[in-house]
Amino acid sequence: MSNIQILNEKMSWPDRFARFSIKKMSVLIHSFFFLLAFFLARAVMFEAAVPFLLPLWAIVRQRYENEKWAVFVGGLAGALSLSFGQGFILLIQLGIYELLTRFRYWKPPAAVAVAFAVFFGQFLWQGLAHMGIPPMIVQMYVYYEMILAFFMTIFVKLFFVEPYRFWSAAWGYERIGAGLVILAVVLTGMHALTISYFSLFTFVMHLSILIAAIAGGVTVASSVSTIIGALVGISELSFTGMIAVYSLTGVTSGLFKGLGRTGVVLGSFIPSIFFFFYDSTLPLDSVYFVSMLIAGVVFLLLPQKMLGFLENIIRPKRDEVLLKRQQWLTEHTTEKLETFQRFVLFMKELVFDHFTSTEHVSGMRKIEPCATCMSCFRYERCWGENNIGMDENIRRWFHAKSRLSEAEQMQTEELIRAKCVKSSKLLEELDYQLYNDKMNGQFYHGKKMIALQLRDLSNHLNKLMEDMKNETLSFKTVEEELGQEFKRANIDCFQIDVLNNTVGERVIVCSFVNPQDKDDLYLLCERMILPVLYEVFSEPFQVDRISNHQKPFKHFQVRFRSAVRYKIQYDIYSKAKHSNAVSGDSHAIFHIHPGLVAVMLSDGMGHSREAKRESRRLVRLMRECLSYNMNPETAMHTLHYVLSLNREVDMYATIDFALVDLQKGELWSWKAGSMSTYILRGDRLIKVEGSSAPVGFMPVFSIETEKVNLMADDYVVMVSDGLFSSKYDWDEQEQFFVELIKSKIRLGIPIEALLYDVMDSYQGKYEVEDDCTVIIYNVSHVAPKWAVFRPANS
């Protein structure tokens, strides 16, 4: 079985249908140019001049290179249908034109080259035919043919614009007029084609008038019929009453436009029937009426989409009404959004700023005598100047309750019972106070969570209103705005497609036809296009791919992609407290988009599966919040509120969250109860510390946010609290760990093996007695593998 057969078997039906549609469209385009060239080659002016094929060849050769062979074959067939000599004359003219366009020292314009080719080709042929200088009447026909070819080239050039602009370019009066001239010449070439009772000339002529009438009304239909009729009459030197028939047909069919297609068809028959009885010299025979009838039937069967498209070309819809309506809609929507935004700000102040007090939700409780102590006869002894340490015992009791340490809690309760005569009542009141503190803390965090969410909502509304004012009101798409910037920079780009407009992962495809090779185009991209893209989108871009296309015409496509200046490499070391136990640590490293990396490290309380589940759930929920574009601070407050209220057991977890911007080289850090982050820059150490409580642990929950500008070859280390043991001095362990990493980096150990080497040496000196997770990553410049130099740190 051949490779083609295997490929066809693997293709899906939608792919096959799309491939068939492309082939079908290509066949239709080739057939159109073939028939157009065939009838232009048969069009004879003044019963002697045949000047119309060479202008079409000249423009198609310049702009529609893929269709030149269809034009050549169709034109040669049309010329041979007239006579063998006409075909030979056409070949001579084509040869002379090709020589003129390839002349090294002078490149004449297309119209001039066509005129010279017609002149020299005809004089060469007529000189050979008459064995000398041709007669004056023959010379006059040659001059007529040269002038007609010159102007026909201009008309063809006006109508057949560049292929990528054929449907998008404006259909002005000049272009429509040029199209009518070409249609009249084509109709002239159809005159002799009659099969039985069907005349192709009458059919196309009448169908054109009907389409003009339904699309443009009386004005357009009468203009089209008069212009075409006059040009056809001039071509045959027959200024007959048929011009009046065509003109009146356009007027009457346009008058009946209000009755729809059927009214237009019936109205077009009235002038022909009238002149049939009025003037017997006109060629209004059975062939004429049958051809009109067939044209009417075909007109009724045309799809409405085609007629609507033609109507929009002839009479484009004005945008004033749409512009005013869009302005009203934008202003009205903006007003409503501003009202809603004021309501959002009011709710934020109402919920949080006005009615939230932080006096009773502070992190460090001030220990004061309670009601039980105030009514006790031993108050002065316990709380006086010579107190016996009751305040310290109560403080230790609150701390033990917060840490959920049963042993420490029982120890402090025994101390309180030993020194207090009303210990049972005192402990009940302390439990009540602790409960109130927790409830106040939850209410505080609930209000702050709602306030932060309202703030994010307000920011989204601000961005929405800015987009509406800057883009919607001006009717400018991203492609249009970028196209205008290219025009200001004199960059000739005929098509722009923004495939993805997300920050950090934008993909833009631009198409060019002028550059001769990829080297010139690549230089143009680096010197001019990339600065324009940076100015428009405020982020760097890179050339992703340059491709050369031959269909539907020769052009280059350049794909631009958001540039990432830095790349990140990382490694993770994770170890449970016991080899057969489950670690309570969880982590995640993922790309939010190609230019932004998120790093998360969470430590659950304890070493059980519940601790693992808690830390893993915190990481998963944090990732989901980021997927909805929630601010990290808002997300962490929200998760604290949710996890502290909805829990089966009283658990908590720390979170160390970092965002690494690979485009700008920035590190954003958010911490909740987590350890310090170490940034190693050569021999320099930068610490990002946090002092807030874990998620769901303390009544007061705050977030520390810090931004650090990274440099190439920086190493960032994030650790869980199980790394450092309580048996040894904390600072000594930290210093040894950092120096150990620095020494391994100096040795050039790859980051994939760095942590295991470091931890092996570290555990040789200090015992790791808890769950331990270490994440290390470094950023470096994105440079090609073949680069002969290394970018400087920046």
Side-chain angles (χ1 to χ4, degrees), residues 418-431:
K419 296 180 179 181
C420 180
V421 296
K422 298 181 178 180
S423 57
S424 299
K425 192 172 182 181
L426 175 60
L427 291 174
E428 289 180 3
E429 189 168 352
L430 291 179
D431 279 328

Side-chain angles (χ1 to χ4, degrees), residues 626-689:
L626 293 176
S627 66
Y628 290 104
N629 295 324
M630 186 180 290
N631 184 280
E633 182 181 0
T634 305
M636 296 179 78
H637 275 283
T638 303
L639 293 181
H640 168 75
Y641 185 77
V642 172
L643 296 180
S644 60
L645 287 182
N646 300 316
R647 58 174 70 253
E648 298 175 0
V649 293
D650 201 357
M651 299 284 291
Y652 65 89
T654 67
I655 182 71
D656 193 354
F657 173 57
L659 285 179
V660 184
D661 191 331
L662 298 180
Q663 289 182 298
K664 299 180 180 179
E666 296 175 347
L667 171 68
W668 293 86
S669 177
W670 291 268
K671 292 180 176 295
S674 57
M675 296 283 291
S676 300
T677 296
Y678 307 100
I679 301 175
L680 306 179
R681 184 173 297 167
D683 292 332
R684 183 184 174 190
L685 172 64
I686 303 174
K687 291 180 64 175
V688 180
E689 297 180 329

Side-chain angles (χ1 to χ4, degrees), residues 346-524:
F346 165 75
M347 289 299 296
K348 174 181 176 296
E349 295 176 355
L350 178 65
V351 171
F352 187 75
D353 297 337
H354 288 173
F355 297 99
T356 298
S357 172
T358 59
E359 295 179 358
H360 301 293
V361 289
S362 58
M364 296 297 296
R365 160 176 284 276
K366 183 179 180 181
I367 305 300
E368 296 180 350
C370 58
T372 301
C373 293
M374 293 290 290
S375 61
C376 182
F377 65 92
R378 299 182 64 181
Y379 171 77
E380 291 296 334
R381 182 180 178 185
C382 295
W383 295 93
E385 295 181 357
N386 299 321
N387 65 74
I388 57 176
M390 185 60 70
D391 57 344
E392 181 63 25
N393 291 336
I394 293 177
R395 181 179 291 108
R396 290 179 60 186
W397 183 86
F398 276 116
H399 186 66
K401 273 287 190 177
S402 300
R403 293 185 59 187
L404 300 178
S405 175
E406 294 184 1
E408 187 177 355
Q409 180 182 342
M410 293 176 62
Q411 183 180 1
T412 55
E413 288 181 355
E414 289 297 329
L415 292 175
I416 292 174
R417 290 191 181 97
K419 296 180 179 181
C420 180
V421 296
K422 298 181 178 180
S423 57
S424 299
K425 192 172 182 181
L426 175 60
L427 291 174
E428 289 180 3
E429 189 168 352
L430 291 179
D431 279 328
Y432 180 73
Q433 288 183 6
L434 182 62
Y435 173 77
N436 284 337
D437 288 344
K438 288 185 176 181
M439 293 303 298
N440 290 334
Q442 297 300 341
F443 283 126
Y444 173 83
H445 293 305
K447 294 174 183 178
K448 188 168 185 178
M449 177 192 66
I450 295 174
L452 291 172
Q453 291 172 349
L454 291 174
R455 184 193 64 182
D456 287 354
L457 180 59
S458 178
N459 292 335
H460 287 304
L461 290 177
N462 276 330
K463 188 176 183 302
L464 176 61
M465 287 189 292
E466 289 178 2
D467 292 342
M468 291 184 63
K469 292 179 181 178
N470 296 334
E471 297 182 5
T472 309
L473 184 59
S474 60
F475 284 94
K476 287 183 181 179
T477 61
V478 179
E479 291 83 356
E480 291 174 345
E481 182 180 357
L482 195 57
Q484 290 182 357
E485 294 296 329
F486 282 163
K487 287 182 180 179
R488 293 191 186 98
N490 294 323
I491 300 173
D492 189 9
C493 177
F494 69 84
Q495 184 172 345
I496 302 172
D497 297 302
V498 179
L499 304 184
N500 191 346
N501 198 27
T502 304
V503 177
E505 51 185 2
R506 288 188 170 97
V507 178
I508 302 173
V509 178
C510 300
S511 302
F512 305 89
V513 292
N514 289 337
Q516 299 298 323
D517 52 36
K518 288 187 177 181
D519 294 335
D520 295 340
L521 184 57
Y522 202 90
L523 186 62
L524 174 68

